[in-house]
Amino acid sequence: MKVRFVLLGLFVLLAAAVGVGVGAVHVAPGEVFASLTGGSADPIVQTVRLPRVAAGLFVGASLAVAGALFQALLRNALAEPYLLGVGPGALLGVTVAAVIAGASALPPAGLRGGAAFVGALAVGAVIFAVARRTVRSPTASVLLAGIAVGAFVHAVATLLLHAAVSDWHVVVRWMLGDLGLATWRDIAFVAAVFVVGGGLAWARAGALDVLTLGDEAAWFGGVAVPRALAVLGGTACLLAASTVAVAGLVGFVGLVVPHLARGVVGTGHRRVLPASALLGAGLLVLADALARTAVAPAVLPLGVVTALLGAPFLAWFVLARS
Amino acid sequence: MHRLLPIALVVIGLAVVVVSLMGPAPEGRCLATPRTPGDSVAFAQVERKTALAATVHYRDGLDLDVRLAPQRIVSTLPGITEMLAHLGALDRLVGRSPWCDTPSTVTVLPAVSVQPLSAEELLALEPDLVVLDRRLHRQDLDAVMRHVPHVLLLETSSSLGQLGASFTLLADVLDDERAREAARGWNAHRVELQQAVQILHRSPPPRVLLVGQWEPLFALGPGSLLDDVLATLGAVNVACDLSTDASGVFSDELALARKPDWILGPGDPMPQRLHSLLSTTPAVQEGRVLPVVGVDAFARGGPRILDATALLARRMLGYGERPDDAPGEGEPR
C-alpha cells in the first residue's frame, strides 16, 4: 500500500512539474528549475504558473475529498458537489453577496468564501434531507433532487447576475471554472480549508466506513449518525464552497476521482481520502495545463476541460453499473 | 471498481503525454510586422429599380430590397445613429437602441431592445428602413428580416475601410446628395489620415495589447475595429494570433512574454493582480496604459473614430507634433 501512495505522490509531483513546465510560452526547463529554486526569477513561472498550479493542487484535492465524503454519506456512487447542486448553491451564495455588496464584478475572496459556504450549506441541507427521507429508490431521488435544486439555483444566480452585476462577463467566466483569478491570498484560504476539512474528514474515516453500511449498522457500530452527518456533511460543503469561492464551478472532479482512488487503494476511507486528495490535485493541475495550452493563445475555461474528461466517465460508469 | 484502475492510468498517462507534447505555442508570425489595414472595397452595391426602390447586392450573394430615401429609420447601434447624424439624416430617425445617446437630441426617441433585437418593437415603430450591423447582429438577422421588410446591413465593426464603405452605402440609400457629399468627405479624411500616419510608422513597430476586459484578460484580436486602428498606426496587436472571432480570453503568460509597449484597455483601473503580473512590461513600467476600449469614440464604429484614431496617433507616434502633420478633423491642436 505504501508503494501505491508513493506512486500517487510522484504523480502529483509530475503533474505539478507539467503544470509549471508547459504553457503558451516556452520556458526552458533549466529556467523553470532555477525559478523554482530561487536561482532566477522568471516572471512567467513565478507570477502565472506557480499560483495556478498551487491553486489547482488545493482546489483539486478539496473537490475530490468533498466528492468522496458525499459519496460515502449519501451512499451514492454518483454523488459529487456539482451534480448534487452544492456547487451551484455556493455560486448562488457568491452572487447574492455580490448583489448585496453592490459589487460591479466579483466580491472580495473572504466574502466569496463565506457566502459560498452559506449557499452550499443551504443546498446541502436540502439534499441531505431528501436523501435521508427517501425510502424507495434513494439514489434516483437524491440525484433528481440535486439536479433540480442545482438547475434552480443556477438559474436564480444567472438571473441575479444579469440584473444586478454590471461586469457579469467576469462572473460568467468564473462560473465556468478558472484558476487564473486566484491570488496567493485565495490559495492560502483554500489551502487552510483543505487542511482543516481534510484533516477532520480523515480523523472520522472510520465513521465514514461504518456509515456506508447503513444507518442501522452505524448505530450498532457506535456512530452517532445525525452528528456525524452534520459534521462530515458540513465539512464536505465547506470544502466544495472554498473551491467555488476561489476557482468557480469545476465539475466532475468530485465524481470521478474518488472512484479512481478506490481503484488504486481499495475502499477504506482512511486510504480513499488521501488517495482522492492526491489524484484530484494532480488531475486538476493537468486539466488546467490543458486549458492553458490546448487552444493557445486563447485559454479554455477549466470547467469545460473537466467536463470534457468527466462526462464520458459518468456515462461509462452509469452504463457499466446498469 | 478495480477495473477502473487501468483506464484511469491510461487517461492520466495520455493527459500527461498530450500536455507535454503540445509544447509552446509558436511566437505568432504576425508579431513581426503590422497588419495591412482592412480594404475599403464596397461590400455591397445599390441597384436602383425605380425612383423609390432599389436592391442592395451584398458581396456574399445576399440581395435585399430597400426603399430609397426612407423617412422612418430605426438605428440599432450608437455608431449607426452617429453616422446618420453625420450624413444629415437625423430628422428621419424614429427609433434607436438604448445606447444611442449622441447627439443628445436622439434620446427623446423611443428605444428598442437590441439584446436580442425585438422584431415586435421594431414593427411598432412602422419603419421603412432598419439599419443593422451585419457582424454584431448576425444572430438576429434571420428573425428580423422575416418580420421587417426593409433592412440595410452595414459593416461598422471590422475596419475603418469597411466603415467608410458603410458610409457610402448608407448615403446611397438615403438618396440625398448632401449625404453623399458628407460620406465622400469622411472617406477623404480617412484616407488623408491613413497616409499622414503612415509616414510616422516605426521600426520595430510598437506592440499593443488591446484589452476588452481586465479579468479574465479578454483581448481584442484580429477582426476588431480597434485592431484595424492599430494596423493604421503601424502597430502590432500582441493578440494577433488569437484565433477566435475578434476577441477572447488571452493567455496571461503570453501577454507578459510579448512585452507590450502599450496597453489600451477599459476605463476602469487595471486590477492589482494583472498590474503585478504585467509589471515588467514596457507598457506598465512607463505608464503607457490608456483607457481606450470603453471610450465611445473608439468603441462605437461611427464617424468619431477618425478623431479618436488621430488622438491615439498623437500619443503613440507623436502625430500632429510636426508642422506638416495634418491634425484630425475636430482634433484639438
Side-chain angles (χ1 to χ4, degrees), chain A residues 11 18 22-26 44 47-49 167 169-170 173 180-181 260 263-264 286 290 292-293 297-299 316, chain B residues 1 4-5 7-8 12 16 18-20 22-25 213 215-216 241-242 249-254 256-257 273 277:
Chain A
F11 164 67
V18 171
V22 305
V25 174
H26 175 65
I44 289 175
T47 60
V48 179
R49 294 184 189 169
D167 213 355
H169 290 95
V170 181
R173 176 74 183 187
L181 299 177
L260 294 177
V264 177
L286 286 180
L290 266 177
R292 286 185 284 124
T293 52
V299 182
W316 172 83
Chain B
M1 199 54 63
L4 288 174
L5 183 57
I7 298 170
I12 294 164
V16 174
V18 167
V19 172
S20 303
M22 269 174 191
Q213 193 172 274
E215 292 280 25
D241 50 354
L242 197 59
V249 176
F250 191 63
S251 164
D252 285 357
E253 54 188 75
L254 275 176
L256 178 59
R273 185 195 76 87
L277 178 73

Side-chain angles (χ1 to χ4, degrees), chain A residues 60-80:
Chain A
S62 296
L63 279 171
V65 171
L69 284 173
F70 280 126
Q71 287 169 13
L73 295 174
L74 297 172
R75 297 191 284 278
N76 190 321
L78 294 177
E80 69 121 10

Side-chain angles (χ1 to χ4, degrees), chain B residues 44 55-64 134 141 145 153:
Chain B
T55 300
V56 180
H57 302 287
Y58 291 89
R59 197 159 47 184
D60 60 1
L62 179 67
D63 295 330
L64 293 178
R134 188 153 202 187
L141 282 185
M145 288 195 296
L153 305 176

Side-chain angles (χ1 to χ4, degrees), chain A residues 14 28 46 66 109-110 121 140 146 154 193 212 225 227 251:
Chain A
L14 178 64
Q46 295 201 332
L121 207 57
H154 204 286
V193 171
T212 56
V225 175
R227 187 158 170 266

Side-chain angles (χ1 to χ4, degrees), chain A residues 147-198:
Chain A
I147 289 166
V149 173
F152 179 76
V153 296
H154 204 286
V156 173
T158 307
L159 192 66
L160 284 173
L161 287 174
H162 201 73
V165 179
S166 60
D167 213 355
W168 59 277
H169 290 95
V170 181
V171 189
V172 168
R173 176 74 183 187
W174 170 74
M175 284 164 71
L176 293 171
D178 190 352
L179 293 175
L181 299 177
T183 61
W184 283 111
R185 185 176 291 186
D186 297 334
I187 294 162
F189 167 72
V190 74
V193 171
F194 170 73
V195 169
V196 173

Side-chain angles (χ1 to χ4, degrees), chain B residues 195-269:
Chain B
Q195 288 172 345
V197 167
Q198 199 167 15
I199 300 167
L200 301 170
H201 284 189
R202 291 181 179 166
S203 183
R207 292 183 168 203
V208 181
L209 175 63
L210 284 174
V211 181
Q213 193 172 274
W214 293 123
E215 292 280 25
L217 187 60
F218 201 81
L220 306 182
S224 62
L225 186 57
L226 272 171
D227 179 78
D228 194 68
V229 168
L230 289 189
T232 300
L233 301 181
V236 163
N237 184 346
V238 298
C240 58
D241 50 354
L242 197 59
S243 58
T244 48
D245 184 11
S247 55
V249 176
F250 191 63
S251 164
D252 285 357
E253 54 188 75
L254 275 176
L256 178 59
R258 291 181 177 176
K259 300 188 185 324
D261 299 303
W262 293 82
I263 296 175
L264 309 182
D268 48 326

Side-chain angles (χ1 to χ4, degrees), chain A residues 247-259:
Chain A
L249 285 182
V250 181
F252 294 101
V253 174
L255 168 68
V256 175
V257 172
H259 293 297

